[in-house]
Amino acid sequence: MTDESPPPPTPDPIPNPNPNPPIHPRRVSFEHGLLPIQKLVFTDPIQTLAPVKQKLTDAASNNHRVGSAAIADVLQISEDHARLVLETLGSVLHSESDPLVRAKPEEVDSVGADLRDLVLFLYIQSYKKLLPRTHKDSAAVADVWPSTSAFDGYLSALSPIQLVRSNSRRFMPSQADDEAHQLSYLQKHLANIVSLLAEPVEGEGEESLVLSMEAFEHLGFLVQFGDKGSDVSPLSQATPFFANSDPDMPAVPVPASQVHDWLLQNIASALESITERISGKENAPSDDDAMSDACVAPNKVAPSGRGPCLIEGVSKTSLVKQASDLRGRSVKVVNCHDSVIYLLAPLRYATVHGCSDTTIVLGAVGKALRVEHCERVHVIAASKRVCIANCRECVFFLGVNQRPLIVGDNHKLQVAPYNTYYSHLEEHMSEVGVEPTINKWDKPLALGAVDPHDSLSHPAGVADAQAESAACVDPDQFINFLIPNWFSGEEIGSTKDNPFPLPDAYMAAQQRNLKNLEETRQSLRETPLEENRKKELSSALHVYFKDWLYASGNIRQLYCLQGDY
């Protein structure tokens, strides 16, 4: 028997100094969760918000929830605005199981919000958005936007025509810029935010603040861990102090300072990574030529593993995306012009930004739709909520469960009831929670004409001005919009008609138009004409129809139907 030396022990692996996936801000909270209501903006959040938190705590129920009546009373805002706070918060909450997210419309006021989510929501109302970068030839675009508004001199950097004419992709913040800006905000305010969620240890005073695992999870309203394409796990599972806690045993609270330092380290690491990425892009050769291709090529959609699907620069064409392309995602339609865009899918969030002379049909948006800095755009959407900001001469055909929100510098907006359908529409609405029996298209709520979340300076008194609201489309001018059936070989859904009932005036106008059309057809059929005169009449009708197709731009859709679909 030979003696064999035992193998040397395997060295322990060197621990990864940062084993977590990168931290990201929850962009939807900053993009869809800000309200231009001055009384919600706390200039010194910790000094002014701490006593507000105490009042809300006193008014909260035993399960730490605050209803709209208490919100209106504590914040000294109207009941309509208190309801708007709850609806907006519910649309951006990180937890799908929260009672506010699941509440029926008639239950929202009484169900209320979790106190900790509400405090974080109020805190970020102090956030200032990142502005578009200055145009390299600002004099060339200075006179593009007509000065018809008292606010134009202060809002010109955000006017839609300037965004359109100045190749705004180059001068608007990228998603990386926005993410870095949001992380910098969180980095600066993290100590305040953590302290608002923390509680003192009983008998040890305010200096011994601790954070429970339950309170820590509410930070998921502002940040999340997860790399591109990965699922987002509970926030506590990414931490060294709450991960793998026994679900049957309450986790031991952690000192607030420890939570603060750990989050700060992760934010600093993420900011360093983003800064390097942005710096690398700025030093790299320009990719304008690549984006020029995107502007002329139909169906050019930027890939995006995490975050919204980006549809950018579509021009003078038709673009169609189905549920198989977009199901359950968020989408951004940016800088599209003179086109027709169909996004026939169940979506979470949707943003339409800087578009002009375009019709955009959105399938079903379960959380929130935001349309901003657009001109002469028609938007057809079934959505739980809609916000319209800084738009001109746009028409919105809406099936919307909450009052449409109108903010900023708007002019000549119109709203109308929803006017179309496609075969899977009701299935998609059901999937994301849009109710066909509730349509508040004609009850817009206009807020401030100036957004306190932009970084522009405004003259005294302007901040109190109210946004211009929207007029209702005349029922006699209301027409249905027909969505072509491109994919005839695919499975057909069950929707055969508009799922939103039309108001009586619009239904009556539609019936009159149908009757007039039928009478005209009948008259043409019964007119005693010789065969050659009938051919002349038929030829004249075709010529007028062809002229209309070219004048309206609809001829392009026919070419797209024949060529691409």
Side-chain angles (χ1 to χ4, degrees):
M1 223 178 134
T2 59
D3 293 333
E4 292 185 3
S5 301
T10 304
D12 292 333
I14 299 172
N16 186 340
N18 188 13
N20 298 314
I23 195 170
H24 300 281
R26 276 192 78 243
R27 289 200 297 264
V28 295
S29 295
F30 296 97
E31 293 173 1
H32 295 276
L34 303 179
L35 290 173
I37 299 175
Q38 283 297 137
K39 288 187 176 180
L40 301 184
V41 180
F42 298 91
T43 52
D44 185 0
I46 195 63
Q47 293 298 320
T48 50
L49 196 51
V52 167
K53 178 197 171 186
Q54 187 55 54
K55 290 180 182 178
L56 290 170
T57 302
D58 295 340
S61 61
N62 292 335
N63 57 356
H64 305 292
R65 303 195 73 84
V66 187
S68 64
I71 292 171
D73 181 51
V74 171
L75 298 177
Q76 294 297 291
I77 58 177
S78 68
E79 291 184 5
D80 280 347
H81 286 180
R83 168 85 181 201
L84 180 61
V85 165
L86 288 175
E87 290 176 339
T88 306
L89 175 57
S91 73
V92 294
L93 275 177
H94 55 296
S95 172
E96 291 296 319
S97 61
D98 189 275
L100 182 59
V101 177
R102 306 171 76 90
K104 296 177 181 177
E106 65 273 14
E107 299 171 342
V108 167
D109 294 310
S110 58
V111 166
D114 186 287
L115 173 64
R116 292 156 293 195
D117 293 328
L118 179 59
V119 168
L120 294 181
F121 173 83
L122 292 174
Y123 194 101
I124 65 167
Q125 301 305 311
S126 66
Y127 175 75
K128 297 281 188 182
K129 297 174 185 174
L130 191 60
L131 281 179
R133 302 175 194 171
T134 305
H135 193 278
K136 64 179 178 181
D137 185 12
S138 54
V141 297
D143 62 347
V144 170
W145 191 249
S147 294
T148 56
S149 164
F151 311 116
D152 279 351
Y154 305 98
L155 300 181
S156 59
L158 297 177
S159 57
I161 283 295
Q162 285 187 339
L163 293 178
V164 168
R165 301 286 175 85
S166 64
N167 187 4
S168 55
R169 181 181 182 273
R170 187 184 301 169
F171 303 103
M172 284 173 53
S174 67
Q175 288 198 92
D177 288 330
D178 266 335
E179 187 160 316
H181 186 62
Q182 290 158 10
L183 281 174
S184 296
Y185 171 85
L186 293 171
Q187 184 182 49
K188 177 182 176 181
H189 293 271
L190 189 62
N192 292 343
I193 289 169
V194 170
S195 70
L196 285 169
L197 291 178
E199 298 291 342
V201 176
E202 190 172 347
E204 295 189 25
E206 293 291 332
E207 298 303 316
S208 59
L209 291 176
V210 295
L211 211 65
S212 67
M213 187 171 80
E214 183 186 2
F216 180 81
E217 287 290 2
H218 288 273
L219 286 170
F221 178 71
L222 299 176
V223 294
Q224 64 189 39
F225 285 92
D227 212 340
K228 291 186 177 181
S230 66
D231 294 327
V232 177
S233 58
L235 200 61
S236 59
Q237 293 306 302
T239 70
F241 31 85
F242 289 130
N244 304 317
S245 296
D246 186 343
D248 297 325
M249 294 286 290
V252 176
V254 174
S257 58
Q258 184 180 347
V259 174
H260 171 267
D261 293 347
W262 180 80
L263 283 171
L264 208 58
Q265 180 184 355
N266 278 274
I267 290 174
S269 175
L271 272 171
E272 183 179 351
S273 173
I274 293 172
T275 303
E276 288 176 0
R277 199 162 74 240
I278 293 173
S279 176
K281 285 183 179 179
E282 287 178 349
N283 295 329
S286 171
D287 63 350
D288 286 347
D289 292 338
M291 279 315 299
S292 297
D293 293 338
C295 291
V296 297
N299 297 343
K300 186 72 176 183
V301 181
S304 177
R306 185 182 60 84
C309 175
L310 184 64
I311 296 172
E312 184 173 22
V314 175
S315 180
K316 297 188 175 182
T317 190
S318 294
L319 180 143
V320 185
K321 290 293 164 188
Q322 302 277 93
S324 55
D325 305 307
L326 299 171
R327 181 181 295 276
R329 297 192 61 182
S330 298
V331 66
K332 283 190 175 182
V333 181
V334 180
N335 299 341
C336 296
H337 313 296
D338 199 9
S339 297
V340 182
I341 297 172
Y342 302 86
L343 306 178
L344 310 181
L347 304 167
R348 287 174 57 76
Y349 298 93
T351 300
V352 178
H353 182 107
C355 298
S356 66
D357 301 293
T358 293
T359 295
I360 300 166
V361 185
L362 293 154
V365 185
K367 293 292 186 179
L369 162 64
R370 184 176 178 88
V371 183
E372 57 188 10
H373 309 308
C374 291
E375 186 176 73
R376 296 184 305 279
V377 164
H378 285 200
V379 175
I380 304 172
S383 180
K384 182 162 286 185
R385 64 183 280 112
V386 174
C387 179
I388 302 162
N390 303 306
C391 292
R392 298 196 176 193
E393 299 177 38
C394 296
V395 187
F396 300 86
F397 298 88
L398 301 175
V400 60
N401 293 167
Q402 299 173 9
R403 296 178 66 181
L405 189 60
I406 299 180
V407 302
D409 188 25
N410 301 282
H411 295 283
K412 298 182 179 178
L413 302 184
Q414 292 181 283
V415 290
Y418 192 74
N419 67 338
T420 193
Y421 71 95
Y422 58 96
S423 70
H424 291 285
L425 175 59
E426 287 170 302
E427 170 195 328
H428 292 169
M429 288 170 58
S430 176
E431 185 174 328
V432 298
V434 177
E435 293 287 342
T437 56
I438 301 171
N439 194 357
K440 299 192 176 183
W441 67 273
D442 58 342
K443 296 179 176 63
L445 178 60
L447 294 183
V450 168
D451 188 351
H453 306 108
D454 67 39
S455 300
L456 298 168
S457 59
H458 305 289
V462 170
D464 298 325
Q466 191 176 49
E468 180 183 310
S469 192
C472 293
V473 168
D474 187 314
D476 288 325
Q477 302 299 316
F478 177 82
I479 56 173
N480 287 329
F481 184 87
L482 180 63
I483 297 176
N485 181 21
W486 293 274
F487 304 97
S488 55
E490 293 193 0
E491 181 186 352
I492 302 299
S494 59
T495 303
K496 308 294 184 187
D497 202 354
N498 184 348
F500 293 93
L502 281 180
D504 292 343
Y506 290 85
M507 180 63 78
Q510 199 170 71
Q511 290 172 345
R512 282 196 303 272
N513 291 338
L514 288 172
K515 183 180 178 183
N516 291 340
L517 176 62
E518 187 54 42
E519 288 176 352
T520 302
R521 285 176 173 169
Q522 187 68 22
S523 176
L524 288 173
R525 279 196 296 264
E526 294 176 354
T527 301
L529 293 175
E530 296 177 1
E531 194 62 33
N532 62 330
R533 299 291 287 174
K534 285 184 178 180
K535 289 181 180 179
E536 288 177 11
L537 176 60
S538 177
S539 177
L541 289 173
H542 278 93
V543 168
Y544 281 121
F545 181 61
K546 190 175 181 180
D547 288 345
W548 173 82
L549 281 174
Y550 278 100
S552 64
N554 286 317
I555 189 68
R556 191 182 300 121
Q557 287 204 69
L558 294 182
Y559 286 136
C560 287
L561 284 168
Q562 291 173 347
D564 296 328
Y565 307 111

